[in-house]
């Protein structure tokens, strides 16, 4: 079975500050990990994904995430928050051989304060 | 074309109505999905189509009926819905292939309100 846990349903940061959104996964086999962003009344947009290889993954809009197997984590970071980053962020996991299913975390609402 | 297009964007329907949601992609993806998303919650998987065949039905009530007429189109037929079915319905597609980590491409969704 696979699952993800997102620590913190709400995170607030000041504009220009570091963004850190936490995601821990549980999987019995090597996972594929994803971060999606959802703006109000819109669908989900893929920010970045980890499959194999380099553990530091760079995505769109200046976001990056590091896969740490020893900590079963895949935290999302951005050095400097922008007002336009305010949105809901979902971490998701998919394991090799599963029937093309993503399992989503519960989501983290990011607020950026001026 | 790198988009998944969903129509309509908004839909209000009565509990006795019959309506359909439509989803279209032209990326050559062979797996397509319907998700239901309630406010402040993650998307919940409803159906998976793989190569135009229904491969997963997550115990969805029969008032929701999916259809995949061809590799580019996915429909969700709605009949006799309940107010609790009001939600954002998302369509997604992926390139498919067991064991391969394809990201999903999501549409912008249909906001459904059942009155």
């Amino acid at each position: 079975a696979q699952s993800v846990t997102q620590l913190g349903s709400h995170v607030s940061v000041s504009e220009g500050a570091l963004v850190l959104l936490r995601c821990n996964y549980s999987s019995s086999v090597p996972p594929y990990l994803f971060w999606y962003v959802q703006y109000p009344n819109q669908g989900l947009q893929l920010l970045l994904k980890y499959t194999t290889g380099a553990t530091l993954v760079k995505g769109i809009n200046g976001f990056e995430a590091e896969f740490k197997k020893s900590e079963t984590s895949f935290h999302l970071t951005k050095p400097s928050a922008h007002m336009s980053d305010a949105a809901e962020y979902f971490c998701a996991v998919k394991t090799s051989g599963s029937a093309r299913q993503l399992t989503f975390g519960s989501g983290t609402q990011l607020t950026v304060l001026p | 074309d790198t988009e998944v297009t969903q129509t309509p964007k908004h839909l209000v329907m009565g509990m006795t109505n019959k309506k359909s949601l439509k989803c279209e992609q032209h990326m050559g993806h062979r797996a397509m999905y319907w998700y239901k998303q309630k406010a402040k919650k993650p998307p919940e998987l409803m159906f998976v189509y793989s190569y135009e065949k229904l491969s997963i039905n997550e115990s969805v009530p029969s008032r929701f009926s999916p259809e995949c007429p061809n590799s580019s189109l996915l429909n969700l037929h709605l009949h006799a819905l309940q107010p609790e079915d009001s939600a954002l319905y998302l369509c997604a597609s992926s390139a498919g292939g067991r064991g391969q980590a394809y990201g999903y491409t999501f549409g912008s969704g249909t906001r459904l309100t059942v009155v």
Side-chain angles (χ1 to χ4, degrees):
Chain A
Q2 58 188 33
S3 66
V4 287
T5 301
Q6 291 184 241
L7 297 177
S9 58
H10 292 85
V11 171
S12 293
V13 299
S14 298
E15 191 174 19
L18 172 71
V19 175
L20 171 60
L21 305 183
R22 300 178 186 275
C23 173
N24 288 89
Y25 69 91
S26 173
S27 175
S28 58
V29 297
Y32 301 136
L33 294 160
F34 306 82
W35 275 100
Y36 285 87
V37 61
Q38 186 175 32
Y39 298 100
N41 297 313
Q42 293 190 25
L44 279 72
Q45 181 182 12
L46 180 66
L47 277 176
L48 48 80
K49 66 178 180 179
Y50 169 78
T51 55
T52 59
T55 56
L56 183 62
V57 180
K58 294 186 184 299
I60 62 172
N61 301 339
F63 284 94
E64 62 182 36
E66 186 171 10
F67 172 66
K68 292 187 176 180
K69 184 178 179 180
S70 61
E71 299 177 9
T72 62
S73 69
F74 190 57
H75 301 331
L76 182 71
T77 61
K78 182 174 180 178
S80 177
H82 192 272
M83 297 297 288
S84 61
D85 295 326
E88 186 85 20
Y89 291 80
F90 292 100
C91 182
V93 64
K94 177 183 178 298
T95 50
S96 174
S98 65
R100 306 186 186 85
Q101 291 187 59
L102 280 181
T103 299
F104 287 95
S106 55
T108 298
Q109 178 68 48
L110 176 66
T111 300
V112 181
L113 305 171
Chain B
D1 187 353
T2 59
E3 291 186 345
V4 173
T5 302
Q6 289 189 244
T7 56
K9 294 193 181 302
H10 301 275
L11 178 63
V12 179
M13 62 184 290
M15 289 188 285
T16 59
N17 291 160
K18 287 185 180 181
K19 296 287 185 182
S20 296
L21 309 185
K22 296 185 184 301
C23 173
E24 189 169 3
Q25 58 88 14
H26 296 287
M27 295 176 282
H29 289 177
R30 303 311 299 269
M32 297 185 75
Y33 315 79
W34 280 115
Y35 282 85
K36 173 183 178 180
Q37 187 180 27
K38 302 286 273 186
K40 305 299 183 185
K41 297 291 186 182
E44 299 174 15
L45 183 66
M46 300 175 71
F47 302 103
V48 179
Y49 272 83
S50 176
Y51 294 86
E52 295 101 71
K53 293 188 188 309
L54 182 64
S55 62
I56 293 177
N57 176 341
E58 291 286 3
S59 302
V60 179
S62 60
R63 57 185 184 269
F64 295 91
S65 176
E67 178 195 21
C68 189
N70 59 55
S71 60
S72 299
L73 294 174
L74 186 66
N75 299 321
L76 185 62
H77 302 298
L78 314 173
H79 174 56
L81 295 192
Q82 303 297 309
E84 59 264 30
D85 296 321
S86 298
L88 181 67
Y89 287 83
L90 294 165
C91 175
S93 69
S94 70
R98 271 188 186 274
Q100 298 188 53
Y102 295 101
Y104 290 14
T105 301
F106 282 84
S108 57
T110 294
R111 175 72 61 187
L112 174 67
T113 303
V114 182
V115 297

